Amino acid sequence: MSRIPLVSSESLTPEQRVVYDRIVSGPRKAMVGPLRAALHNPELAEHWQQLGALLRYGTSLSQRLKEIAILVTARRWNAELEWQIHEDAARKAGVPDGLIDAIRLAQRPDFATDDDRAIYEFVRDLQESGRVSDATYRDAHSRFGTVGVVELTAL
């Protein structure tokens, strides 16, 4: 059960309605996840949804690679809501079931591509230790460049 009561679409203030409508008419198509709680402060929710939309839909990384990064993060923090939202999105983006299942079970996956492996290792390093090893950084940087590494870190 949520500690913060979620704002229902029927009880939105005019300011909340503007943000709500922007979210459900955008690429998300629905109001899900922590944005539902953030709506208590419409300005916060608006900035949060803009950053989230940029990271999820507006970076140089492919949707497949972003979904791998999100699943690794969701598993690390046992964020079940994020996992539920992004497991399906990962499948739609072409992430193999075996890779998804291994991440869910906190096991090292067999990787279909070297890019998948580089994303997994970069995010796992960052989530587990708060830093990325030199070798993992060099590998990710050689594949995705400075912009890709910055985007991946922000994601």
Side-chain angles (χ1 to χ4, degrees):
M1 180 172 202
S2 179
R3 290 180 176 177
I4 298 173
L6 303 178
V7 181
S8 72
S9 59
E10 297 80 31
S11 66
L12 296 173
T13 67
E15 294 83 9
Q16 291 169 326
R17 173 63 64 191
V18 168
V19 177
Y20 177 88
D21 288 347
R22 192 168 292 135
I23 291 169
V24 299
S25 67
R28 286 183 184 91
K29 306 287 186 222
M31 175 63 75
V32 296
L35 284 173
R36 295 179 303 159
L39 262 181
H40 285 283
N41 179 328
E43 185 177 6
L44 171 63
E46 176 60 23
H47 290 290
W48 190 338
Q49 76 91 8
Q50 287 178 6
L51 177 60
L54 174 65
L55 290 173
R56 191 161 174 206
Y57 305 109
T59 68
S60 63
L61 299 170
S62 72
Q63 200 62 38
R64 172 189 175 114
L65 297 177
K66 287 185 278 195
E67 292 301 337
I68 292 170
I70 293 167
L71 288 181
V72 171
T73 303
R75 178 66 306 136
R76 165 61 177 95
W77 297 105
N78 293 319
E80 289 304 318
L81 180 60
E82 284 299 304
W83 183 273
Q84 290 173 357
I85 293 167
H86 289 280
E87 181 178 17
D88 186 52
R91 282 195 173 87
K92 289 178 182 172
V95 179
D97 287 341
L99 191 119
I100 293 170
D101 292 342
I103 294 171
R104 180 189 310 102
L105 297 170
Q107 297 173 348
R108 183 171 175 79
D110 291 325
F111 298 101
T113 72
D114 287 337
D115 284 355
D116 291 356
R117 179 194 44 74
I119 291 290
Y120 171 87
E121 290 181 355
F122 187 98
V123 175
R124 189 192 46 132
D125 272 11
L126 188 58
Q127 294 292 336
E128 293 295 325
S129 69
R131 67 180 306 276
V132 176
S133 73
D134 290 341
T136 298
Y137 175 83
R138 279 192 303 273
D139 185 32
H141 190 269
S142 72
R143 293 173 186 288
F144 313 116
T146 299
V147 170
V149 168
V150 168
E151 293 169 344
L152 181 57
T153 302
L155 179 64

